[in-house]
Amino acid sequence: LDFAKTESNSMRLENCSFSPLSVTEDSLEVVGFSAEKRGIEIVSDYDDGFSQIYVMGDSLRMRQILVNLLSNAIKFSRENSEIYVKITLSKHQEDNVNIQFSVQDFGVGIAEEAKGSIFQPFNQADTSITRKYGGTGLGLTICKQLSNLMGGEIWFDSVEGSGSVFHFKVTLPLDPNMKVPSDLTKTLTPSNMHSLPKRIEIYLPSLRVRNSLERQLKRFGIPQVKSSENLTELED
């Protein structure tokens, strides 16, 4: 239905205030069970300020793009691997913000000869992959159409046998009446800083997970965060 609407130019975008962080978290929650079932850990990392901005646009369509990209990453990832979600911000003029989502998997990748048609309808990179993983071949086409409709862009980098990174970038106006979300304000206010630990040590084998946790904990005001894949290093 969405494909037919975009093809016929009958789809209309909403223009409402929303938190892109909430959209991202909702998207991760939607795909969480599928990832867990395959032993895949999704690591998200975002720029400072992403948690506190509100923008004007269509949150449903942004979520649709993210869920599609995440679902594909899970589908084509190896079991017991990782998916890395990176979100970067940059100011575009005074009242707009550029948001770029990058979803990286370490799965089958895309063959060189298939890269030129990956966003075409009813196309998947390999018919044997279609038989193994299923799918209609419309997901990325719809993502591309929605991205264009939002004035954004979508592209990818991929190495066959090593995985892919799909990028979605869009420029959206900041909500002129934007407020910092109340739950995040409570977390970051100095009044409750006394209840936070002064030091946290992280023992995890994954470097990406460790780096992401370190950055997030430092945002919350933890002065000392140390991480290692070696437990003995933390015990010293």
Side-chain angles (χ1 to χ4, degrees):
L1 183 59
D2 281 340
F3 175 69
K5 282 183 178 179
T6 52
E7 282 290 284
S8 63
N9 296 317
S10 62
M11 181 174 285
R12 297 292 178 262
L13 295 177
E14 298 289 331
N15 188 40
C16 300
S17 174
F18 69 93
S19 161
L21 174 64
S22 295
V23 171
T24 304
E25 290 178 337
D26 288 348
S27 303
L28 292 170
E29 188 174 345
V30 168
V31 302
F33 179 72
S34 300
E36 185 179 352
K37 198 162 60 171
R38 302 196 65 225
I40 295 169
E41 186 156 18
I42 302 178
V43 183
S44 61
D45 195 11
Y46 48 83
D47 283 350
D48 292 338
F50 183 68
S51 62
Q52 300 178 53
I53 64 167
Y54 275 73
V55 295
M56 302 300 296
D58 194 324
S59 60
L60 178 64
R61 298 308 175 187
M62 177 181 281
R63 179 177 178 270
Q64 187 174 354
I65 292 172
L66 293 180
V67 168
N68 218 306
L69 296 182
L70 287 164
S71 297
N72 275 354
I74 293 167
K75 184 192 298 186
F76 297 115
S77 284
R78 296 180 176 86
E79 291 190 353
N80 304 308
S81 61
E82 289 178 359
I83 291 170
Y84 183 52
V85 182
K86 174 68 176 173
I87 301 137
T88 53
L89 293 178
S90 62
K91 222 27 180 332
H92 181 77
Q93 300 176 342
E94 187 60 32
D95 301 321
N96 298 297
V97 63
N98 295 321
I99 308 175
Q100 180 171 318
F101 300 88
S102 299
V103 179
Q104 181 176 13
D105 69 68
F106 302 90
V108 297
I110 300 168
E112 197 65 37
E113 62 272 17
K115 290 181 178 179
S117 57
I118 202 71
F119 291 112
Q120 292 179 8
F122 307 107
N123 178 76
Q124 286 195 336
D126 189 314
T127 53
S128 63
I129 289 176
T130 305
R131 287 194 296 271
K132 181 177 180 180
Y133 297 102
T136 62
L138 280 176
L140 287 175
T141 304
I142 292 171
C143 285
K144 179 74 170 176
Q145 292 171 334
L146 288 175
S147 173
N148 290 342
L149 199 60
M150 296 169 72
E153 55 183 320
I154 189 167
W155 72 99
F156 68 93
D157 304 294
S158 185
V159 177
E160 188 175 11
S162 297
S164 306
V165 191
F166 278 81
H167 309 275
F168 164 53
K169 184 176 182 180
V170 64
T171 301
L172 294 171
L174 291 164
D175 181 351
N177 303 309
M178 59 185 260
K179 298 176 182 178
V180 177
S182 57
D183 56 334
L184 290 174
T185 303
K186 184 177 180 181
T187 304
L188 296 172
T189 47
S191 61
N192 71 333
M193 293 293 274
H194 66 276
S195 63
L196 297 174
K198 303 300 181 189
R199 176 184 172 90
I200 289 182
E201 296 183 345
I202 303 168
Y203 165 59
L204 283 169
S206 167
L207 177 62
R208 285 186 180 84
V209 177
R210 293 201 310 270
N211 288 343
S212 177
L213 281 175
E214 274 193 52
R215 282 189 284 271
Q216 291 182 49
L217 287 168
K218 286 176 179 176
R219 286 189 192 111
F220 291 142
I222 309 297
Q224 294 185 54
V225 182
K226 184 179 180 182
S227 67
S228 176
E229 62 180 341
N230 189 338
L231 189 58
T232 57
E233 288 183 11
L234 296 177
E235 292 171 343
D236 292 341

